[in-house]
């Protein structure tokens, strides 16, 4: 639970902050340890908008976690203790109440004698990725905390960069698709019905394209609200099913992997992320089975996540990862399996995984670039062709009258 308090610190300054504790007595004890004389202390009631969320924990962003990891690594390398480093970093988040509370809570646990991993694990302010926690645990025990924090920072920064690239790359095509659909729908629902009355007064047979456009115009004009309602209901149902039904989400993820081009991009993107974090965890000193399990947790695709989870079980039984993946019913890129086999044979799994991630990230970047190069003119042709067809269909009867 989170408790808010007002009081005076050891320097005689007024303070107003929050503290995490399992009970009121523990909160008082923590304030006493911090040499704070509190004037008021009560459980913090979340704001209305916070109650809307299903989880009371703050989901730390990739950018924030990357920045935090880099700063802590820098201070630790400079000879600053983790406790002092956290106190310094906390001053950088004065305007972010959740992050400040998170760092304060972790600092309090460290002051109580707990190690860094335990402090991160037992805090209830933010949600941290499991692979991040396990990396901290192993590196802290091995005395390489600064190195692993820096590697985690690089990995998270790379993930953020890739996500930004993909979103930025598809922003223009998505905008074009939405605008074109809105334009075509507007013309069919509002413009075409206005012209239809002219043709009705003409005592002649209308051309086929004109009949098609008029029929579409009547349909959109009479059912425009219903169409919007159906689209909204479909999108809402789809999102709910993806979040609530694992079977439905598994089916959709399986279909995504089978899509031409897009399936290959999705597969290699997931394998690249798996390889990068797996190489980091192996370097941290984690066992190979734990590495596979934790690395699979970062995968978004449920099909691939299940594949690696099952493979990890077979590795426990003494089977090689490459053999487990090769014998699975779920087929993935054969080059990936061969690379893993080579790494297992030469005991260079860490280097092989690192090289795979770089290779797949580069391949995907080139594929997405090519896709967008082809997609932009195709969208322009679609928009121009659709609007041109509607305009031509409306002009055909007029041309017919002129000829006759």
């Amino acid at each position: 639970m989170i408790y808010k308090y007002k009081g005076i610190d050891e320097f005689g300054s007024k303070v107003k902050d929050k503290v995490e504790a399992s009970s009121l007595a523990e909160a008082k004890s923590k304030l006493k340890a911090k040499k704070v004389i509190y004037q008021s202390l009560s459980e913090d009631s979340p704001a209305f908008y916070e109650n809307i969320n299903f989880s009371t924990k703050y989901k730390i962003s990739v950018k924030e976690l990357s920045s935090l990891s880099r700063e802590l690594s820098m201070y630790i390398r400079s000879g600053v203790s983790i406790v002092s480093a956290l106190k310094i970093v906390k001053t950088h988040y004065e305007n972010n109440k959740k992050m400040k509370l998170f760092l304060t809570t972790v600092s309090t646990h460290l002051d109580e004698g707990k190690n860094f991993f335990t402090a991160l694990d037992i805090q209830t302010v933010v949600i941290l990725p499991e692979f991040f926690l396990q990396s901290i645990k192993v590196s802290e025990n091995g005395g390489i905390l600064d190195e692993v924090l820096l590697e985690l920072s690089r990995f998270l920064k790379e993930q953020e960069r890739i996500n930004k690239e993909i979103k930025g790359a598809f922003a223009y095509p998505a905008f074009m698709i939405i605008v074109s659909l809105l334009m075509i729908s507007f013309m069919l629902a509002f413009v075409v019905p206005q012209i239809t009355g002219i043709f009705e007064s003409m005592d002649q047979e209308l051309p086929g394209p004109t009949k098609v456009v008029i029929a579409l115009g009547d349909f959109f004009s009479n059912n425009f609200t219903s169409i919007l309602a159906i689209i909204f209901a479909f999108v809402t149902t789809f999102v709910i099913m993806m979040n609530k039904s694992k079977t439905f989400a598994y089916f959709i993820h399986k279909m995504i992997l089978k899509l031409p081009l897009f399936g290959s991009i999705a597969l290699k993107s997931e394998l690249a992320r798996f390889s990068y974090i797996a190489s980091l965890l192996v370097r941290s000193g984690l066992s190979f089975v734990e590495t596979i399990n934790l690395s699979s947790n970062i995968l978004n695709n449920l099909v691939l996540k299940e594949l690696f989870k099952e493979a990890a079980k077979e590795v426990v039984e003494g089977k090689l990862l490459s053999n487990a993946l090769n014998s699975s019913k779920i087929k993935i890129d054969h080059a990936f399996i061969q690379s893993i086999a080579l790494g297992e044979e030469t005991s260079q799994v860490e280097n092989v995984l690192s090289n795979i991630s770089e290779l797949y990230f580069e391949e995907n970047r080139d594929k997405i670039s090519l896709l967008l190069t082809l997609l932009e003119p195709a969208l322009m042709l679609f928009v121009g062709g659709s609007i041109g067809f509607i305009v031509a269909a409306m002009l055909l009867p007029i041309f017919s009258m002129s000829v006759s």
Side-chain angles (χ1 to χ4, degrees):
M1 292 185 288
I2 307 299
Y3 291 88
K4 58 183 179 181
Y5 66 88
K6 291 181 182 179
I8 301 173
D9 63 13
E10 58 181 316
F11 304 107
S13 304
K14 290 184 178 181
V15 289
K16 180 183 178 183
D17 210 340
K18 296 178 182 180
V19 62
E20 182 195 14
S22 57
S23 65
L24 184 62
E26 185 181 345
K28 291 178 180 179
S29 177
K30 287 186 175 183
L31 290 179
K32 185 178 180 180
K34 293 170 70 173
K35 298 180 180 178
V36 172
I37 302 172
Y38 64 88
Q39 297 169 329
S40 64
L41 176 63
S42 59
E43 187 176 344
D44 186 34
S45 300
F48 172 74
Y49 64 87
E50 292 177 319
N51 285 323
I52 297 174
N53 297 326
F54 293 104
S55 174
T56 57
K57 284 189 176 183
Y58 170 67
K59 190 171 184 180
I60 189 170
S61 68
V62 174
K63 184 178 181 180
E64 287 174 328
L65 192 55
S66 172
S67 177
L68 176 63
S69 301
R70 186 177 64 253
E71 287 186 87
L72 289 176
S73 172
M74 178 182 69
Y75 287 126
I76 294 171
R77 284 191 169 192
S78 302
V80 179
S81 69
I82 186 66
V83 177
S84 300
L86 282 168
K87 289 178 180 177
I88 296 171
V89 172
K90 187 171 66 173
T91 61
H92 303 164
Y93 293 93
E94 290 296 332
N95 297 325
N96 188 331
K97 293 183 179 179
K98 284 288 186 180
M99 281 297 294
K100 185 181 177 183
L101 177 60
F102 162 63
L103 294 171
T104 301
T105 302
V106 174
S107 295
T108 303
H109 289 316
L110 290 173
D111 289 336
E112 293 170 353
K114 297 179 177 66
N115 61 26
F116 189 40
F117 163 74
T118 306
L120 292 174
D121 192 36
I122 64 176
Q123 60 81 29
T124 58
V125 182
V126 305
I127 301 172
L128 293 171
E130 187 62 27
F131 75 86
F132 184 88
L133 289 171
Q134 293 302 322
S135 299
I136 296 296
K137 181 181 181 180
V138 175
S139 62
E140 194 173 20
N141 292 336
I144 53 172
L145 182 59
D146 57 333
E147 295 178 21
V148 171
L149 279 170
L150 187 59
E151 283 295 330
L152 286 169
S153 173
R154 288 172 180 167
F155 169 72
L156 293 166
K157 191 174 183 179
E158 179 69 11
Q159 290 300 297
E160 185 194 19
R161 186 187 64 78
I162 291 169
N163 289 336
K164 279 186 176 180
E165 279 187 3
I166 294 173
K167 288 177 182 177
F170 282 98
Y172 176 72
F175 175 75
M176 287 295 298
I177 291 171
I178 293 170
V179 169
S180 62
L181 291 176
L182 288 174
M183 288 177 64
I184 294 168
S185 300
F186 177 78
M187 291 188 71
L188 290 173
F190 299 104
V191 178
V192 172
Q194 299 296 324
I195 306 174
T196 304
I198 300 173
F199 298 144
E200 289 177 350
S201 62
M202 296 166 54
D203 189 19
Q204 67 174 38
E205 182 70 18
L206 295 175
T210 306
K211 289 181 179 179
V212 171
V213 171
I214 290 174
L216 286 173
D218 291 338
F219 175 78
F220 273 91
S221 181
N222 297 329
N223 302 285
F224 190 73
T225 306
S226 300
I227 291 170
L228 289 178
I230 290 170
I231 292 173
F232 177 78
F234 173 79
V235 172
T236 304
T237 303
F238 182 83
V239 171
I240 292 173
M241 290 291 288
M242 285 294 289
N243 290 328
K244 300 295 182 182
S245 173
K246 188 177 179 181
T247 305
F248 179 79
Y250 186 92
F251 172 77
I252 295 297
H253 289 168
K254 192 174 184 179
M255 290 299 102
I256 289 173
L257 293 177
K258 291 182 178 180
L259 291 174
L261 184 60
F262 292 100
S264 175
I265 291 174
L267 172 64
K268 289 187 176 180
S269 175
E270 292 286 72
L271 291 179
R273 293 172 67 234
F274 174 87
S275 301
Y276 193 104
I277 195 62
S279 67
L280 173 60
L281 293 175
V282 170
R283 195 179 308 131
S284 301
L286 210 62
S287 70
F288 196 47
V289 174
E290 287 181 295
T291 293
I292 299 170
N293 278 317
L294 290 173
S295 300
S296 65
N297 287 336
I298 72 167
L299 299 178
N300 296 320
N301 191 288
L302 294 180
V303 178
L304 296 177
K305 183 179 287 189
E306 183 178 302
L307 168 65
F308 283 104
K309 290 286 186 184
E310 291 300 319
K313 293 178 182 177
E314 295 186 39
V315 172
V316 172
E317 297 169 358
K319 203 170 184 179
L320 293 175
L321 175 62
S322 54
N323 292 337
L325 294 174
N326 198 37
S327 61
S328 173
K329 293 180 181 179
I330 303 167
K331 299 302 176 184
I332 58 174
D333 188 17
H334 191 61
F336 176 82
I337 298 175
Q338 286 183 321
S339 299
I340 295 295
L342 178 63
E344 290 173 325
E345 186 179 337
T346 59
S347 301
Q348 294 292 322
V349 176
E350 177 196 330
N351 292 331
V352 168
L353 287 169
S354 181
N355 291 332
I356 290 173
S357 67
E358 290 180 16
L359 175 66
Y360 281 169
F361 279 139
E362 191 65 34
E363 276 189 28
N364 269 2
R365 196 177 292 115
D366 293 339
K367 284 184 179 179
I368 292 171
S369 178
L370 176 62
L371 176 64
L372 292 173
T373 303
L374 299 174
L375 190 59
E376 288 181 16
L379 286 172
M380 294 298 291
L381 285 172
F382 170 73
V383 175
S386 301
I387 295 175
F389 176 77
I390 294 172
V391 172
M394 293 295 98
L395 293 176
L396 275 176
I398 299 173
F399 292 151
S400 300
M401 287 175 62
S402 300
V403 172
S404 60

